[in-house]
Amino acid sequence: MPAACLPAINAWRCPTAVTNDRFASQKHSSPRVLILMHATLPLLDALSFPAITRGQLQALQVNLTYLCNQRCLHCHVNAGPTRTEAMTDESLALLHRVIDAHSVQTLDLTGGAPEMHPRFRELVSHARREGLRVIDRCNLTILSEPGYADLAGFLAEQGVEVSASLPCYSRDNVDKQRGDGVFDASIAGLLQLNKLGYGLDGSGLILNLVYNPQGASLPPPQAQLEADYKAHLAEDFGIYFNNLLCITNQPIARFGSTLVSKGSFNSYMQLLRDSYRPENLDALMCKSLVSVDWQGYLYDCDFNQMLELPLVVPGLIGRDRPHLRDLLGSSSLAGNPIVTRDHCYACTAGQGSSCGGALDNH
C-alpha cells in the first residue's frame, strides 16, 4: 500500500481534536468528541510570504452553509451536523445579481455540505441558465442521506461538475479520518454517479476526487496517486472518475489546532516553507477567485475566510469587510493586493495546491 494511504497515526485521536462524527440517528454514527480549538492566526506571522496581487475575476467560491452530515478532522471550516450558519435569501438574491452583472465563468459551491442549503438547487439552476460552470464540493455520503435520493439525478440533469472527497481508497483509512461507515457510503455514492454517466468518457459529466494527506506531510505527486486511485477503484469496485485533486492540509482550524496540541505546528510550517516554489505563485487560485461566506462577505480564498481575513477593496469607507453588494457597481479587482499570512505556504509548497488540485498540472 502506498504511503499516501498508510493508516492515520494515533495522534489524530488526541482529546483536543474532533474526529469521527455523523448524525446520531445514522447507522454510521460514532462517539462525539469534545472540541477544544487552538487559535492559529496568531501563529501565522512568523514567516514572510511574498506580496501578490489579483488578476481578473473568473470564479466565485460560495460557502452556502457550515451544516454538514459529517465532521472531519481535516475540515478547515469546522463544519458539522450542529452548525446552523446558512446564507440568507437576501444574500442569495445579491449573489444572483452578481452572477448576472459580472463575466464570472465558474460558480464553486462549498460548505459544509452545500446541498443541505434549502436554496441549493435554485442557485444551481440559475447559474446554469446563465451559462456558468458549476462545481459541487460533495462529500458523497450526502447522496445516501434521507431526503436526498434524487440529488445525484439533479446534478446530472444540470450538468454540474462534482468534486468529491475521498481521502483514500482504503476503508479503514477513510473511516478513521471521516467516520465509521463513511467509506461504504462514499463508494455507494460514486457508483450512483457512475450509473448516471459521471466520470465516463464521452458523457460530459465531470467527476473529480479530492485527496488530503492524513498527517502533517505534503501530498504525493498527483499524477502518480491518481493512477493508483484509478487502478484500485476500477479493480475493486468498478468505479471510474476523471481527475484526482491533491490538496495540502492548511495549518488552520481543526487540523491546525491538532498540530498545536501535538507540538508539531512549527515543524509543519517549516516543512511548508522549505518546500516553497516561487513558480507556483502565478497559478494561485486567489488571483482569479473570490470567496464568499454565508453572510455574503468577501475574501481572497476559503482559508482566509476561516481566518477572518477579508478581501482588500481600496476605497471602501465605513466598513472593514467588503460584501457581495460591493461587486455590483465596483470596478475590476485586478491589481488589488491579496491578503497573505504564513498559511499561504501550503498553496505554494512542492507541486502546489488549490481547490483544483496540484498547481504544476495547471
Side-chain angles (χ1 to χ4, degrees):
M1 182 177 292
C5 284
L6 288 176
I9 55 178
N10 291 336
W12 295 136
R13 294 182 176 273
C14 68
T16 55
V18 180
T19 59
N20 310 342
D21 192 9
R22 298 262 289 155
F23 283 132
S25 62
Q26 300 298 311
K27 62 182 179 180
H28 311 294
S29 64
S30 302
R32 180 168 297 174
V33 181
L34 262 183
I35 303 173
L36 172 62
M37 296 293 293
H38 297 282
T40 54
L41 181 58
L43 306 176
L44 295 173
D45 278 324
L47 307 173
S48 180
F49 193 82
I52 49 177
T53 57
R54 288 191 151 273
Q56 293 297 325
L57 177 61
Q58 298 177 12
L60 292 174
Q61 186 174 70
V62 182
N63 195 313
L64 286 177
T65 179
Y66 293 166
L67 177 65
C68 187
N69 60 318
Q70 295 180 189
R71 180 180 277 118
C72 303
L73 173 61
H74 66 271
C75 180
H76 65 274
V77 304
N78 301 327
T82 61
R83 300 300 295 265
T84 59
E85 300 91 333
M87 185 169 278
T88 64
D89 287 349
E90 179 183 4
S91 291
L92 280 167
L94 278 172
L95 181 58
H96 284 204
R97 292 174 60 193
V98 169
I99 289 173
D100 295 343
H102 279 263
S103 57
V104 174
Q105 302 167 15
T106 300
L107 179 65
D108 189 340
L109 299 177
T110 185
E115 308 90 348
M116 298 183 79
H117 192 287
R119 304 288 188 190
F120 171 79
R121 301 189 189 201
E122 177 184 318
L123 177 59
V124 167
S125 298
H126 178 87
R128 291 298 290 153
R129 284 195 301 270
E130 293 298 315
L132 273 68
R133 169 195 181 203
V134 176
I135 302 172
D136 177 29
R137 302 277 169 183
C138 182
N139 66 20
L140 292 175
T141 63
I142 190 66
L143 300 175
S144 59
E145 294 285 0
Y148 296 90
D150 62 342
L151 174 59
F154 169 79
L155 296 174
E157 176 186 307
Q158 293 292 323
V160 174
E161 183 174 317
V162 175
S163 286
S165 300
L166 192 72
C168 193
Y169 43 74
S170 158
R171 176 180 286 101
D172 289 346
N173 292 334
V174 171
D175 286 355
K176 283 177 181 176
Q177 188 183 86
R178 302 181 66 199
D180 294 340
V182 168
F183 181 79
D184 289 339
S186 298
I187 293 299
L190 289 171
L191 289 170
Q192 188 178 355
L193 291 169
N194 274 177
K195 187 175 181 179
L196 292 166
Y198 272 101
L200 305 183
D201 291 340
S203 71
L205 295 174
I206 303 299
L207 172 59
N208 295 327
L209 301 186
V210 179
Y211 166 86
N212 294 83
Q214 295 193 29
S217 61
L218 298 181
Q222 182 168 284
Q224 174 188 327
L225 188 58
E226 179 180 299
D228 289 341
Y229 263 68
K230 285 187 172 180
H232 281 269
L233 290 176
E235 180 178 350
D236 296 343
F237 305 102
I239 286 173
Y240 301 91
F241 65 95
N242 296 100
N243 304 291
L244 181 70
L245 312 179
C246 288
I247 300 179
T248 302
N249 286 325
Q250 285 278 338
I252 64 174
R254 289 179 188 153
F255 183 73
S257 179
T258 301
L259 293 176
V260 173
S261 296
K262 293 174 55 191
S264 58
F265 185 89
N266 290 339
S267 61
Y268 184 63
M269 291 305 306
Q270 193 60 50
L271 169 65
L272 298 180
R273 177 62 183 86
D274 290 345
S275 304
Y276 169 73
R277 289 174 55 188
E279 58 267 34
N280 287 327
L281 288 174
D282 287 341
L284 290 174
M285 64 180 183
C286 54
K287 285 181 165 286
S288 60
L289 173 147
V290 165
S291 173
V292 185
D293 75 7
W294 64 275
Q295 299 174 93
Y297 291 110
L298 310 180
Y299 305 82
D300 290 300
C301 69
D302 204 35
F303 311 123
N304 279 10
Q305 182 186 141
M306 295 306 109
L307 291 169
E308 299 183 353
L309 297 171
L311 182 82
V312 171
V313 178
L316 275 186
I317 300 175
R319 285 186 290 111
D320 59 354
R321 287 192 296 175
H323 193 268
L324 275 169
R325 66 180 68 93
D326 297 307
L327 291 179
L328 289 174
S330 67
S331 58
S332 171
L333 298 176
N336 285 4
I338 293 172
V339 178
T340 60
R341 294 293 189 275
D342 295 348
H343 66 291
C344 299
Y345 282 108
C347 293
T348 55
Q351 63 190 343
S353 175
S354 74
C355 291
L359 297 181
D360 63 6
N361 281 22
H362 291 204

